[in-house]
Amino acid sequence: MDFFNYKGSDLYAEDVKLTEIAKQYNTPVYVYSKATLERHIAAFENSLKSKKHLVCFAVKSCSNLAVINLMAKLGTGFDVVSEGELRRVIAAGGDPHKVVFSGVGKTEHEIEYALSVGINCLNIESEEEIDTVIKVAKKLNVVAPVALRVNPGVDAKTHPYISTGLKNNKFGVSEEIAFDLYKRIAKEPCLKVSGIDCHIGSQMTSGLPIVEATDKILALYDKLKKEGINIDHINMGGGLGVTYYDETPPSPLEYFAPILERLKNEDVAIYIEPGRAMVANACVLLAKVVYQKNNGGKHFVITDTGMNDLIRPALYGSYMTIINTTKHEDGEEVVCDIVGPICESDDFLGKERKLNVKNGDILAVRGAGAYGSSMSSTYNTRRMPCEVMVDKDKTFEIRKRQTYEDIWKDESILN
Ligand code: LLP
């Protein structure tokens, strides 16, 4: 069941007509469905219920406080990659004891902040980071819970920009040195070996790469156990893909079943860090059609949203489904490129699409919840988009549209 459906000729989010949202809040606007978010959270929780687990929502995929707060209330943990994300989680009512901190470049200051608020686990990504964590833990006189992010050399078979588990990626430490690093960590009184961490990539539409990675992580787990180094949790990261066009990713239940099977006799918790699959299809981005024109035989539909609001098509050539929130009885479909107002040739939302559109129509870009608003910017001095959450027949503005003064309020002129 989807919560973005046509009733008659109008597209709705739950019980609210999307054209009404566009009228009330203006465009561009990100519109989330609370019921869809709740359903996705439940699906992930349910998929791991046979084992002690922690679902850590990857905050980078969608960092709005209302989204984080909803997840926190339903008991999820979080995966953060910066002090800013950790502060967001706390500001939204999340529990730092359920937060894991990933990232290749954590600064000493960020590590200090994370340890001072009682982070669940620091996912260490290099030998030098171990030294920094030791220094900070000694300074604070605490025992730091840590995992090593191990790069298992597995091909996630996804876009090269979002593939992270190959030997030539900057992420994690290689399998070869992980064992020795764990021995070093185990000897440090101010460090506690908490887990083994791994994240091989994003938008994976097959369950095979993660199973291959799990086998490699389990081999390390066994080796550590024999050495007397006990692991509390195995973190298999995020990466489960979604349907943007015709992809058929497994459900969370199908995706994690072989992993749970492999862990069933082990006294170890499983952590996961889903981002995209939690939020992508719980949201649409609404944009208004401003103009249409024909250039050299190509039909362009020009909207009021662009790559500053949603950068995925420009950055990765991502396909995002675009539909009209109003189905017209008259007129006919034309093949068109749907573009934005930004002064860059890759400022497009979709290419060669068939749409029946009139000026003033509200288009909906589906699957916009993940890496949509969280990657938006003010490029071309455009205001960051407004965000709205729908709960049945009610709407809540969960992020006001910026004012222009907001954009330059921290700048100053030489006197
Ligand atoms: N854990 C770690 C350590 C990560 O780096 C990521 C994503 C996740 C979890 C969540 O992965 P997910 O479940 O969302 O696949 N901007 C790109 C995606 C970048 C992913 C970065 N890391 C896009 O729009 O496709």
Side-chain angles (χ1 to χ4, degrees), residues 47 60 132 150 167 179 227 269 382 408:
S47 70
K60 66 170 85 71
T132 307
V150 179
K167 299 245 180 281
F179 182 64
E227 190 70 21
R382 286 168 49 81
W408 58 71

Side-chain angles (χ1 to χ4, degrees), residues 58 60 79 149 162 199 202 239 273 275-276 312 316 371 375:
K60 66 170 85 71
D79 163 55
R149 176 164 173 187
I162 53 176
H199 167 82
S202 199
E273 303 169 351
R276 190 188 312 269
R312 302 195 67 254
Y316 316 109
Y371 309 106
M375 290 180 82

